[in-house]
Amino acid sequence: MDEAAIRYAVPVRNLPGRQVRTVRTGRSPQGQRVGIAFTRVELLVAAMGADQQWEELCESALRGMLRPLGIDRIQVDPLLVAPPLPDSIGDRAAPTAPVRVPALAATAGAQVRGGNGSPFPAR
């Protein structure tokens, strides 16, 4: 009997002026770009705040969105995710600057279409 796919709460952000969301990615303390996922919404809120938008995605869908970005690692349940760093052009996230363990610097990532980030049952 096949087990159900693990579903994650994945942080996202809206693209200005478009009806498209992007998954947030981060950087490990060593500078490697990683995907970010949480096993429970409560863990996402604890690490990123209650205002953080999110989508429910299975691992294969998240990996499919990260692959074109050259990202093959997913950081599951990070304890702290640093907010995006502003750059000199508006409020876009700077895609650099690793932060100390266990924080991940959040950056923009692959596009996610639709969805409201509605809650799903905690495990």
Side-chain angles (χ1 to χ4, degrees):
M1 187 149 99
D2 293 333
E3 290 190 30
I6 296 173
R7 301 190 73 76
Y8 293 109
V10 177
V12 297
R13 72 178 183 93
N14 292 325
L15 287 178
R18 298 176 65 189
Q19 292 187 349
V20 175
R21 289 186 172 180
T22 63
V23 296
R24 288 202 177 265
T25 61
R27 293 199 179 263
S28 70
Q30 297 77 27
Q32 178 186 15
R33 206 159 170 208
V34 298
I36 304 170
F38 295 87
T39 55
R40 295 192 338 254
V41 175
E42 297 83 5
L43 296 174
L44 181 144
V45 170
M48 301 185 77
D51 293 336
Q52 175 60 56
Q53 297 176 354
W54 59 275
E55 293 284 342
E56 180 182 352
L57 296 173
C58 67
E59 182 178 349
S60 62
L62 179 56
R63 286 194 185 281
M65 291 175 200
L66 296 173
R67 192 172 299 112
L69 301 172
I71 299 172
D72 59 3
R73 179 175 170 212
I74 298 173
Q75 178 67 46
V76 178
D77 293 336
L79 300 177
L80 174 66
V81 178
L85 301 172
D87 66 8
S88 60
I89 305 172
D91 63 351
R92 292 185 317 177
T96 59
V99 293
R100 65 185 175 90
V101 174
L104 298 171
T107 60
Q111 296 180 354
V112 178
R113 296 194 181 271
N116 298 337
S118 59
F120 57 90
R123 287 176 243 227

